[in-house]
Amino acid sequence: MNRCKCVCLLYLFLPILTLSGENLTPTIRLNGFMSQGFIKSWDNNFLTNTEASGTFDFNELGFSLAINLSPKLRLGFQLLSRDFGDVGNNRINLDWGFFDYRLHDSLGLRVGKVKIPFGLYNEGRDTDSLRSMVLLPQGMYDEHKRDNLVAYSGLGAYGTLFLNQMGDLEYDIYAGSINQQSDAVYLRFFTNLWNMTVMATKTGSPLMGINLDTKIIYGSRLIWNTPLVGLRLGGSLIMHQSTVNALYGSNGIGTIENMGWFILSAEYSIGPLQTTFEYSENPVDVIINNVNLWTDRSTQSWYVMASYQLGSVNLSALYDVYYTDKEDKEGRYYTVRRMPDYLGWRKDFGIGLRFDFSTNILAKLEWHSVDGGALFLSTYNNIPTMPRKWSYVASKISLRF
Amino acid sequence: MTARTIIIIIAIGLLLVPLFAQDLTLRIVVHKDNPNLSMNRSTLKNIFMGKRSSWPDGSPITVVIQKQGPLHEHFIGVINAISTQQFASYWEKIVYTGTGNPPKAFNSDAEVRKFVSENAGAIGYISDQNLDDSVQKMTIK
């Protein structure tokens, strides 16, 4: 989406800010947000073509409506338009929309399209004001895998179990399906991997692309708000199975299975300081045309993030590590295929600043220094010449009500 | 103990006086007909974080906060032990993921008191000096 459209939307949006996100009526509430960002990288393209002159193809626009049908029953939905390079392209999609029946504080049910509760921050990945930094730690919340994580359509149960002096437990469990957009980068990655395999082995036919039909996704999250004030611990698990179809070709040519993608989380807040540590492994099997394209491997990632609130300013620092295969941290899988070993890892150090001008407007700026080319970087760069070390800056301004 | 030490202790004490004074001015208020006039701090925190949504008789709780100001900051810090930004972010996440109802927010003690007096399930906070007989105060154990 070009800058002109964003400015026009801004002028359309500004009067709506006067609503301040309050109820339109006692039972109906309207909220919304808009963000416009810029990313510029050096030495490698990142998430899209960002090296030459950067990109403004980086925005989100959302409107939500929530209706209290009764004290226990709510209906709500949010429309989202986003653009991230050549993904999204400001299509308007239903971000979430569901009925929520809260039978009791310890048990509620949600039916519809619901943001997936995964890790501490996944639900906030599309709303800029919910994050200290422009991007969530990519090793954990990779933008390329967004379609796998953004929302499920199905049934979920949730609630809080009060443990007296031991704090409380928040739980979510769910099952359903997910909608994978055909322009998802990780689908291009596996298409490229298949085509490279065809070239190397001289068997099979190359693919124009692939898309997925997800048979089922199910998962759960548990967060323990401990008796130590400010400390919460969590664990999340996702499993899903999808059928691979060829774009402009046959259906059912393979499968992609996540056999237990988990995150362990810890967050501690004391006064203005908040620190977070999360660790994740993701065993995934990819089989195309009966070829084990990616099997018996598990990714491994972890990050440490700290943020400090000083009045309206929030300062953040992040160290984020990702390995394509936890048993192959040296990248031997790539070197035997005459590719750079650093495609096997990515280590990102970032510092950021967020300024809240008011309750409606905020701005962010951050800088990252990165070692490695994992997480689909090869999709945007020429593998033989892509440098190991690179950097990027990202900025965003957001309005919300 | 030297004179310098005594002066330092008195200065620290004077700095702490406003905190204690603020502690005395904060009152949790509920509707006149609400029989729940005592609550522990943990339950109060869970109410204002949206984790408890019903009174013991099953009737719904309506949470009322103030949009900003020293009383709001003090309440969030003392009861919830987090910053106002963290409290705001917590409820923003709930709003933008559709997973709950945010509290009603008002600009002053008078507006909070009026709303609580007119809504049977409401709970809010005001300063002690603005307490009157249109609402009841709740004791926090």
Side-chain angles (χ1 to χ4, degrees):
Chain A
M1 183 180 184
N2 61 40
R3 271 168 279 176
C4 179
K5 287 181 188 174
C6 286
V7 169
C8 292
L9 270 175
L10 183 62
Y11 279 110
L12 183 66
F13 200 81
L14 276 173
I16 301 175
L17 286 176
T18 60
L19 291 174
S20 301
E22 296 187 1
N23 286 24
L24 295 178
T25 74
T27 56
I28 299 176
R29 187 177 180 92
L30 177 69
N31 290 92
F33 57 87
M34 175 181 173
S35 322
Q36 176 60 55
F38 175 77
I39 291 185
K40 167 79 173 80
S41 63
W42 289 267
D43 299 312
N44 277 314
N45 289 310
F46 172 54
L47 295 172
T48 184
N49 295 322
T50 53
E51 192 187 2
S53 54
T55 183
F56 283 96
D57 289 346
F58 184 27
N59 63 67
E60 296 121 10
L61 176 63
F63 286 103
S64 67
L65 191 70
I67 305 170
N68 289 332
L69 300 172
S70 77
K72 289 185 184 290
L73 180 63
R74 291 183 308 109
L75 168 65
F77 68 88
Q78 178 162 287
L79 300 177
L80 177 71
S81 169
R82 63 186 292 270
D83 189 25
F84 209 151
D86 47 4
V87 174
N89 293 316
N90 288 115
R91 286 187 300 267
I92 299 175
N93 291 313
L94 179 67
D95 190 30
W96 51 261
F98 57 90
F99 283 96
D100 185 333
Y101 184 67
R102 190 167 180 172
L103 185 69
H104 189 268
D105 291 332
S106 61
L107 177 62
L109 298 173
R110 294 181 177 131
V111 179
K113 187 174 184 182
V114 184
K115 292 289 215 183
I116 292 178
F118 191 58
L120 295 177
Y121 307 123
N122 186 61
E123 297 108 307
R125 65 186 307 135
D126 290 332
T127 310
D128 185 58
S129 61
L130 300 182
R131 309 185 295 267
S132 297
M133 302 184 87
V134 174
L135 293 172
L136 289 173
Q138 289 297 286
M140 199 72 51
Y141 302 102
D142 181 18
E143 277 300 311
H144 303 102
K145 299 173 191 165
R146 179 183 173 276
D147 284 356
N148 275 324
L149 292 176
V150 68
Y152 69 89
S153 295
L155 173 68
Y158 70 95
T160 304
L161 306 175
F162 299 103
L163 308 174
N164 297 320
Q165 286 79 18
M166 293 306 293
D168 63 72
L169 277 176
E170 299 170 34
Y171 74 90
D172 286 272
I173 54 175
Y174 54 90
S177 63
I178 53 178
N179 180 28
Q180 312 235 21
Q181 301 289 332
S182 58
D183 57 359
V185 172
Y186 75 97
L187 296 183
R188 272 185 269 161
F189 172 83
F190 287 119
T191 301
N192 292 342
L193 197 60
W194 166 256
N195 290 340
M196 285 195 297
T197 304
V198 166
M199 269 177 40
T201 61
K202 299 193 179 4
T203 55
S205 302
L207 294 167
M208 296 286 289
I210 59 175
N211 62 29
L212 303 185
D213 281 330
T214 301
K215 293 182 211 170
I216 187 162
I217 181 170
Y218 50 97
S220 63
R221 183 180 67 184
L222 201 62
I223 295 179
W224 178 30
N225 293 291
T226 72
L228 176 61
V229 174
L231 176 64
R232 55 177 187 153
L233 305 172
S236 312
L237 180 68
I238 276 185
M239 302 179 79
H240 76 74
Q241 300 166 17
S242 302
T243 300
V244 177
N245 305 314
L247 275 181
Y248 317 117
S250 307
N251 289 341
I253 63 168
T255 57
I256 291 181
E257 292 189 10
N258 278 106
M259 292 138 354
W261 189 356
F262 72 85
I263 294 181
L264 301 175
S265 310
E267 180 191 86
Y268 183 58
S269 302
I270 180 165
L273 178 66
Q274 183 175 81
T275 55
T276 309
F277 170 76
E278 291 194 293
Y279 174 87
S280 174
E281 291 183 12
N282 180 13
V284 61
D285 269 7
V286 180
I287 299 174
I288 295 180
N289 291 326
N290 296 314
V291 173
N292 292 336
L293 202 61
W294 191 273
T295 55
D296 297 325
R297 288 191 184 85
S298 174
T299 69
Q300 183 186 62
S301 56
W302 59 268
Y303 74 87
V304 179
M305 185 164 67
S307 64
Y308 192 88
Q309 192 75 39
L310 204 61
S312 298
V313 175
N314 182 283
L315 303 167
S316 296
L318 165 75
Y319 187 61
D320 176 21
V321 176
Y322 176 91
Y323 294 104
T324 309
D325 183 352
K326 70 173 186 175
E327 303 298 336
D328 179 21
K329 294 189 171 72
E330 298 80 21
R332 290 185 302 275
Y333 174 90
Y334 297 97
T335 53
V336 299
R337 289 164 176 77
R338 297 180 185 173
M339 289 189 277
D341 57 351
Y342 47 84
L343 290 180
W345 68 80
R346 202 167 99 184
K347 301 170 188 176
D348 181 340
F349 171 72
I351 52 174
L353 179 136
R354 165 176 166 162
F355 186 79
D356 283 75
F357 296 94
S358 71
T359 53
N360 295 114
I361 306 175
L362 68 94
K364 297 178 187 175
L365 178 65
E366 64 197 49
W367 169 82
H368 293 255
S369 172
V370 188
D371 172 357
L375 284 170
F376 311 110
L377 206 70
S378 56
T379 309
Y380 310 102
N381 297 283
N382 186 17
I383 292 176
T385 60
M386 57 184 280
R388 170 176 164 175
K389 297 193 177 181
W390 52 285
S391 60
Y392 69 95
V393 294
S395 64
K396 226 166 193 190
I397 183 163
S398 298
L399 314 175
R400 73 232 198 242
F401 68 94
Chain B
M1 189 180 286
T2 65
R4 184 179 173 186
T5 305
I6 294 170
I7 290 169
I8 291 172
I9 291 172
I10 291 172
I12 292 172
L14 286 171
L15 284 171
L16 290 174
V17 164
L19 286 175
F20 288 117
Q22 285 182 3
D23 218 357
L24 291 173
T25 64
L26 183 76
R27 293 292 177 208
I28 307 299
V29 292
V30 294
H31 191 268
K32 275 195 310 186
D33 298 333
N34 192 325
N36 303 286
L37 298 179
S38 170
M39 183 181 289
N40 64 41
R41 197 171 283 239
S42 169
T43 302
L44 185 71
K45 176 184 172 180
N46 286 328
I47 287 174
F48 278 85
M49 301 297 272
K51 296 181 185 182
R52 285 200 187 269
S53 60
S54 303
W55 296 105
D57 66 356
S59 59
I61 298 174
T62 302
V63 177
V64 182
I65 63 172
Q66 300 201 24
K67 289 181 182 176
Q68 56 193 9
L71 193 70
H72 174 64
E73 291 175 17
H74 180 62
F75 172 77
I76 298 303
V78 169
I79 299 301
N80 295 285
I82 56 177
S83 69
T84 51
Q85 289 91 347
Q86 288 168 333
F87 183 77
S89 291
Y90 173 87
W91 280 108
E92 265 194 58
K93 177 185 166 184
I94 288 175
V95 165
Y96 291 121
T97 55
T99 51
N101 285 318
K104 305 282 185 196
F106 296 100
N107 291 308
S108 67
D109 283 354
E111 290 181 7
V112 170
R113 191 180 61 218
K114 180 176 188 295
F115 184 88
V116 172
S117 70
E118 294 172 353
N119 291 273
I123 181 169
Y125 53 88
I126 61 175
S127 56
D128 183 61
Q129 62 206 43
N130 290 318
L131 185 64
D132 65 19
D133 58 7
S134 67
V135 292
Q136 294 185 93
K137 67 181 180 189
M138 176 183 278
T139 302
I140 305 303
K141 295 179 278 189

